Amino acid sequence: IYFIYFSNLLASRDQTIKRWTFHGMQLLDVIDTIGSPITHMIISTDDTFIIVSCDNTTVQVKSLVTGSDIHNLEGHISEVTSLSMSNDSICCYVGCSNSNIYVYNLRSRALLRTLTHHDSSVNDLYMSADDCFLFSAAEVNFLFEYLFF
C-alpha cells in the first residue's frame, strides 16, 4: 500500500470562502465567485484584499469588503504552493511547485521579478515585519511508503 500526500487535498473543494465572526461564532458571508478549488489564501495587512490561489494555478485578488474580483496575478506557470505579502500590502509573493518565487505588485498586478534559487517546490514564504527580508523554504522531495501486513 502506498500513501502519497497531495497538498491540494486541503483545498476548499466547494470553491467558496466563508467569513466568520468570533462574537457568537456566526457565519457572516460567503465569497463564492472563485471558480476553482482553493488551495491557499491570505489577507492584506490593511484589510483591503484577499488573495486566493486555486487548483487551476490562478491567483485571484478580491475585495475583502465586497468579495468582488479586482484582478488576477498572471505570469507564474505552475501550481501555487505558498503565498505571502509585504506588510505595506503592495507586494505579493507567490511560491510555486516549479521552485520559483514570483513577486507581484498588487496594485498594478505587474510581475516585478522571479526568484529562482530553490531546487524544489517552494512550500512556505514569510515576510519580515520591517519588509526587508523574505524567507522561503523548499520542499523535501520524498515519497511516504507504508507497508501494512
Side-chain angles (χ1 to χ4, degrees):
I1 297 173
Y2 291 93
F3 172 79
I4 302 174
Y5 173 74
F6 294 102
S7 64
N8 63 358
L9 292 177
L10 302 176
S12 172
R13 290 285 168 214
D14 69 356
Q15 305 176 21
T16 66
I17 297 170
K18 294 173 177 60
R19 184 185 341 220
W20 300 84
T21 178
F22 284 114
H23 302 291
M25 297 306 291
Q26 299 294 316
L27 179 64
L28 296 178
D29 58 11
V30 177
I31 300 172
D32 60 0
T33 58
I34 307 302
S36 182
I38 300 161
T39 56
H40 304 280
M41 63 182 172
I42 56 175
I43 295 173
S44 63
T45 55
D46 62 1
D47 292 332
T48 305
F49 305 116
I50 185 165
I51 294 90
V52 180
S53 68
C54 298
D55 262 3
N56 63 4
T57 74
T58 62
V59 176
Q60 302 174 25
V61 181
K62 296 184 170 292
S63 167
L64 188 58
V65 176
T66 65
S68 62
D69 293 328
I70 295 175
H71 53 250
N72 287 356
L73 301 178
E74 298 175 348
H76 55 280
I77 55 173
S78 66
E79 175 191 2
V80 176
T81 54
S82 55
L83 293 171
S84 189
M85 187 179 321
S86 62
N87 293 298
D88 61 8
S89 299
I90 293 176
C91 288
C92 182
Y93 305 92
V94 178
C96 288
S97 62
N98 67 353
S99 74
N100 293 339
I101 301 167
Y102 298 87
V103 182
Y104 293 93
N105 181 302
L106 277 175
R107 306 283 193 275
S108 70
R109 72 179 166 186
L111 175 60
L112 303 175
R113 178 175 293 182
T114 303
L115 308 175
T116 60
H117 298 287
H118 281 291
D119 293 329
S120 61
S121 180
V122 179
N123 65 353
D124 204 4
L125 294 169
Y126 181 79
M127 176 55 62
S128 65
D130 60 4
D131 280 343
C132 290
F133 299 98
L134 175 68
F135 296 89
S136 61
E139 172 180 276
V140 176
N141 292 325
F142 58 91
L143 172 67
F144 289 104
E145 181 177 327
Y146 294 95
L147 180 59
F148 296 94
F149 295 116

